């Protein structure tokens, strides 16, 4: 699963943001043969997040670890709905 030469960069995940660091940890654990359910437990992620992270790495390598692009504008909250 892990591509040649990626382990060192993935291990330096402290250079990444929190989400990318979590995905890097997911990839490293998967490369070590840890089952997806156990990876979810170890990383405080959902099983779906683990599968998505593994799939993104398989398709795009390290370049796939940053947050996926979100479509649409930022969510807006109506202030009155929050304050009651």
């Amino acid at each position: 699963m892990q591509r040649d030469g990626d382990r060192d960069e993935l291990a330096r995940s402290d250079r990444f943001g929190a989400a990318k660091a979590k995905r890097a940890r997911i990839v490293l654990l998967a490369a070590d043969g840890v089952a997806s359910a156990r990876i979810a437990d170890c990383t405080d992620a959902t099983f779906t997040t683990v599968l998505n992270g593994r799939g993104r790495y398989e398709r795009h390598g390290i370049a796939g670890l940053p947050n996926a692009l979100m479509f649409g504008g930022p969510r807006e909250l109506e202030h009155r709905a929050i304050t009651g």
Side-chain angles (χ1 to χ4, degrees), residues 23 34 45 60 63-64 81:
R23 291 186 198 109
V34 178
H60 307 290

Side-chain angles (χ1 to χ4, degrees), residues 15-83:
R15 297 180 320 133
F16 304 144
K20 190 173 178 182
K22 181 181 273 192
R23 291 186 198 109
R25 188 160 179 236
I26 288 169
V27 169
L28 288 170
L29 289 168
D32 289 340
V34 178
S36 293
R38 179 73 180 126
I39 294 171
D41 290 339
C42 292
T43 61
D44 195 30
T46 65
F47 186 75
T48 303
T49 297
V50 172
L51 294 180
N52 288 339
R54 292 177 72 160
R56 287 168 62 169
Y57 178 77
E58 287 177 13
R59 287 188 303 279
H60 307 290
I62 290 177
L65 296 182
N67 289 333
L69 295 175
M70 301 294 199
F71 294 98
R75 294 181 186 205
E76 294 182 18
L77 297 176
E78 187 175 328
H79 185 68
R80 285 180 288 178
I82 297 171
T83 59

